[in-house]
Amino acid sequence: MERVVLEGFHAVKHALRFGGRVDPVVVLDRAAAVALARSHAPDLVGFFADRAREVDAAGFTSVVGRAHPTGVGGLAERPAAHWSAAPRTAPLVLLDNPRNLGNFGAVVRVAAGLGARGVVSTGDVDPWHPTVLRGSAGLHFAVPVGRVAGPAELTGELIAFDADGEDLRHARVPDDAVLAFGSERHGLSAAVRASADRVVSLPMRPGVSSYNLTTSVAMALYHWELFRRAS
């Protein structure tokens, strides 16, 4: 099983909270780590008090690779992601050849917060790249995250987001939909757009050219959540 580096208290917190297999967890100062847990994760105070390994700066770097302001880090097993195991009750986010790793991680964070089924990507970027994992604050462990060759591997209505599509405010997003977003610079690929069952657009004031990728995903998932609650 491949292991990934968790940098910082919040990454470790989320991995532990969502069932990640984290070993070891290293801290520079156990008392400081316990204090962080008391203020930010009371459910994990016992873990940091009893099971975290206190190390010096060299020992911390040997595990995490570099220093971190929180003095907390660890190693975790990368969980397997499966997309066709059961009918989905929440949309799957598809990122079409994403290039900005920080934004990729932020999308995972939004997807976890709004209850998406998972985040998949096409292209050559590893969805578990350290920069992506850093951007998600460890919330890769809250939703499945992985890579596919293309939308043909996924089931459900494929809804592509593009500026010339149907206004999202007039559209319903099924629970088992796949929501496809292109990269911020190049947009959707021709292959993904051609595979789409529907193309929708986000509402936007005239004169504004685009939204940040993370904002777009958040708006789409929030729209789905509002309609789901209203039905």
Side-chain angles (χ1 to χ4, degrees), residues 4-29:
V4 295
V5 175
L6 302 175
E7 299 179 35
F9 176 82
H10 294 294
V12 171
K13 171 191 73 178
H14 285 136
L16 291 171
R17 187 173 280 166
F18 289 100
R21 297 182 179 179
V22 188
D23 185 32
V25 171
V26 293
V27 298
L28 289 175
D29 183 326

Side-chain angles (χ1 to χ4, degrees), residues 17-65:
R17 187 173 280 166
F18 289 100
R21 297 182 179 179
V22 188
D23 185 32
V25 171
V26 293
V27 298
L28 289 175
D29 183 326
R30 186 184 306 279
V34 169
L36 268 176
R38 285 201 182 101
S39 61
H40 292 84
D43 54 313
L44 296 174
V45 168
F47 181 94
F48 282 99
D50 301 331
R51 297 175 59 186
R53 181 193 306 171
E54 192 170 44
V55 295
D56 60 15
F60 189 91
T61 302
S62 71
V63 173
V64 181

Side-chain angles (χ1 to χ4, degrees), residues 102-108 110 184 211-219:
N103 283 347
F104 194 159
V107 166
V108 174
V110 163
E184 291 175 327
Y211 292 118
N212 174 276
L213 174 62
T214 311
T215 301
S216 299
V217 174
M219 291 173 70

Side-chain angles (χ1 to χ4, degrees), residues 69-88:
T70 63
V72 177
L75 296 176
E77 290 185 7
R78 173 174 171 168
H82 303 286
W83 313 114
S84 58
R88 291 196 305 273

Side-chain angles (χ1 to χ4, degrees), residues 101-110 129-140:
L101 303 190
N103 283 347
F104 194 159
V107 166
V108 174
R109 194 169 185 172
V110 163
H129 186 282
T131 303
V132 182
L133 187 57
R134 196 177 304 130
S136 82
L139 282 164
H140 279 60

Side-chain angles (χ1 to χ4, degrees), residues 42-186:
D43 54 313
L44 296 174
V45 168
F47 181 94
F48 282 99
D50 301 331
R51 297 175 59 186
R53 181 193 306 171
E54 192 170 44
V55 295
D56 60 15
F60 189 91
T61 302
S62 71
V63 173
V64 181
R66 60 180 182 174
H68 192 275
T70 63
V72 177
L75 296 176
E77 290 185 7
R78 173 174 171 168
H82 303 286
W83 313 114
S84 58
R88 291 196 305 273
T89 57
L92 189 65
V93 175
L94 170 63
L95 301 183
D96 186 17
N97 195 24
R99 311 313 300 165
N100 186 304
L101 303 190
N103 283 347
F104 194 159
V107 166
V108 174
R109 194 169 185 172
V110 163
L114 285 168
R117 170 62 178 84
V119 179
V120 295
S121 65
T122 64
D124 57 0
V125 170
D126 179 5
W128 285 77
H129 186 282
T131 303
V132 182
L133 187 57
R134 196 177 304 130
S136 82
L139 282 164
H140 279 60
F141 293 89
V143 292
V145 178
R147 182 163 43 183
V148 295
E153 294 184 30
L154 307 172
T155 60
E157 181 180 2
L158 179 60
I159 303 175
F161 283 75
D162 195 72
D164 61 357
E166 170 194 3
D167 191 321
L168 177 63
R169 289 172 290 189
H170 307 305
R172 293 297 285 264
V173 174
D175 289 347
D176 64 347
V178 178
L179 309 181
F181 300 84
S183 68
E184 291 175 327
R185 177 168 294 185
H186 302 293

